Amino acid sequence: AVLPGLHDAHGHVLDQGWALESVNLVGARSVEEVRLRIEQHLAARPELEADRERWIEGIGWDQTLWDPPVFPSASDLRSVLLDGRRIALRRVDVHALWLSERALGEVEAAGLPQPGVDIPGGLVLRDAAGRPTGVLIDKAMDYALNVIPPWTDTDRRRFLAAASESLLSVGITSVGDAAVDLPSLRFFRDADERGELALRFYGMLACPTSSPRCSDSASAAGFPLLPRHAASRLTVRTVKLFADGALGSWGSAMWAPYADRPAERGLMLIEPNDLRALVAHWLDAGWQVATHCIGDRANSLVLDAYEALLSARPQQDLRLRVEHAQILRLNDTSRFGQLGVVASMQPTHATSDMGYVEKRLGAERMLGAYPWQSVLRGGGILAFGSDFPVELPNPFHGLYSAITRLDAEGHSPSGPGGWLPHERLSRADALHAFTYAAAYAQFEEQRTGSLERGRRADLVVVDRDIMDEATTPKQLRETQVLATIIDGRTVWTRA
Ligand SMILES: [Zn+2]
């Protein structure tokens, strides 16, 4: 069967390539397994093992899978092989960073704030004596990320090639790249000018944390940037803002405290009083705004800010976006439709997280978790993606999650009918969210996202008919891409 080229409305391209080269900690069941995976990674890379000055980076740990499910510490990264190494491991949601003792020492020496000094939007975990334990959360991660050597264009070229291959192999022809710094945007533009982009990229600018209104430096660098000719595959017209953290590290901003941490209700990363002015700044500078919102409070406050700004600009087609829209108060679900705000959501996040959501939120608030059908029924536009490398980029996994709300084995906390099954989607609605609606979310539905006369010829050949109900959801999940075609050219085929 043939499908329109699949979009991933929200992923992280260079991070995907980076992750493919880093220690993969997804699914590790204990700190022992984390150490073992690092040691195996080194054993397979003798040059990295031999160079004791090089940083060892990894991604994917999740303390909720461990017994007990508590944050790790720097001393957990001690072993004969690992002692004295600089190690930095990102949590599966990339909202927490776990450092080895040597790495932590260097980060402290570079100026980690003393105990009691507030880090807006960030947290340094400390022991009873006030010493950092080795885990930095949200904006506190910057103190470490400034010490780790930055990527070079040589790194980026390698990351882009690896990421492109992994995306094309699962039928993705267009990606919303959901947080790209200026040096990486320049890299993408140069690659596009040389005709080196294998698929379409919709780059969302991420400013340095210290200057959230970086539109002047972006403009000096030539952004926003619309495709200048038919062969161009890069669009940059969106800024990515971060309203809060993530659920897994109790960082998402909630109206009420977490059920499993009654003293905490998460972090707003943008001052609520500044939200409207910050979004207005970017709209005035001519940018689309996409704001990361996980918790119900972050979502409400951002929708409030959007609502006020939209009512002042009734004639403009702004297509404001909320990235994730993960936990909503039930009366916020219809606001996406009312306001014309795009809900950019990730079906596999729901089925990866569903095991701990009730514990964290309680039964009542859980009803507003990953509420795709409610947003859709309220007239909202759902644009789907995976948030790779947080999840695998495979859109057939996303389609399966969207129509079943089950894990790969067919289980869910509410049984084999799916988790909160009233929020499941039809196949047609789920496919729409991975194609046309994702193109709409980037103002490109006249160019891609459907198989129609006048669109670019982006399509995918697959080995089964996923829209035929005779194809079971599990079979749909196992769909293999046979060929991926962009601009009428076959750019990937199954060997
Ligand atoms: Zn993301």
Side-chain angles (χ1 to χ4, degrees), residues 85-400:
R85 296 292 307 236
R86 299 158 157 149
I87 306 173
L89 308 174
R90 290 167 207 236
R91 196 180 181 281
V92 64
D93 60 9
V94 303
H95 286 266
L97 190 68
W98 171 17
L99 301 171
S100 65
E101 289 176 336
R102 179 174 176 195
L104 178 61
E106 294 182 5
V107 171
E108 288 188 88
L112 193 66
Q114 294 300 308
V117 177
D118 187 44
I119 302 171
L123 195 64
V124 178
L125 299 192
R126 297 180 185 276
D127 63 17
R131 284 184 301 263
T133 61
V135 173
L136 309 177
I137 294 182
D138 285 314
K139 284 195 181 170
M141 293 166 57
D142 288 350
Y143 292 97
L145 300 178
N146 290 334
V147 171
I148 299 171
W151 294 344
T152 64
D153 276 354
T154 310
D155 294 328
R156 292 187 179 95
R157 205 162 293 127
R158 225 172 45 241
F159 296 158
L160 176 62
S164 298
E165 164 71 19
S166 74
L167 298 171
L168 293 172
S169 72
V170 292
I172 293 171
T173 57
S174 174
V175 170
D177 199 350
V180 194
D181 62 15
L182 264 185
S184 295
L185 283 179
R186 281 199 201 93
F187 164 80
F188 273 105
R189 181 180 54 202
D190 294 347
D192 189 40
E193 277 165 8
R194 290 193 300 266
E196 289 174 4
L197 296 183
L199 57 151
R200 300 185 198 287
F201 296 96
Y202 188 74
M204 304 184 209
L205 167 68
C207 294
T209 327
S210 53
S211 55
R213 288 166 165 82
C214 69
S215 53
D216 283 348
S217 43
S219 145
F223 302 106
L225 175 74
L226 297 179
R228 276 175 288 189
H229 47 81
S232 177
R233 291 183 175 167
L234 178 68
T235 302
V236 180
R237 61 179 297 177
T238 310
V239 66
K240 172 81 178 292
L241 306 177
F242 289 86
D244 67 344
L247 185 65
S249 43
W250 295 271
S252 43
M254 305 298 299
W255 284 109
Y258 286 104
D260 57 350
R261 283 208 179 170
E264 292 180 30
R265 52 189 198 120
L267 300 165
M268 278 300 284
L269 303 183
I270 303 169
E271 268 300 310
N273 290 334
D274 188 37
L275 249 181
R276 198 191 297 185
L278 179 62
V279 176
H281 168 88
W282 285 99
L283 295 179
D284 291 341
W287 293 73
Q288 182 192 33
V289 175
T291 309
H292 164 116
C293 301
I294 304 271
D296 57 7
R297 180 160 178 257
N299 276 285
S300 297
L301 295 180
V302 167
L303 287 170
D304 290 348
Y306 282 0
E307 183 168 9
L309 293 163
L310 285 163
S311 65
R313 294 168 167 78
Q315 306 305 329
Q316 295 177 29
D317 181 11
L318 299 174
R319 305 194 191 182
L320 300 177
R321 297 170 55 142
V322 171
E323 302 303 310
H324 308 305
Q326 203 159 288
I327 301 151
L328 301 178
R329 292 200 298 196
L330 290 179
N331 46 13
D332 279 339
T333 55
S334 56
R335 296 177 73 194
F336 290 86
Q338 285 157 13
L339 299 173
V341 169
V342 174
S344 165
M345 301 174 81
Q346 298 76 31
T348 44
H349 278 345
T351 48
S352 295
D353 298 351
M354 61 188 175
Y356 70 84
V357 173
E358 180 165 10
K359 190 168 66 117
R360 193 137 303 170
L361 300 182
E364 195 182 324
R365 268 189 306 189
M366 183 177 74
L367 295 174
Y370 317 84
W372 311 314
Q373 188 61 256
S374 296
V375 171
L376 198 62
R377 210 170 316 112
I381 292 147
L382 284 181
F384 274 172
S386 67
D387 206 7
F388 65 78
V390 177
E391 307 277 352
L392 293 173
N394 191 330
F396 300 98
H397 293 186
L399 289 163
Y400 168 84

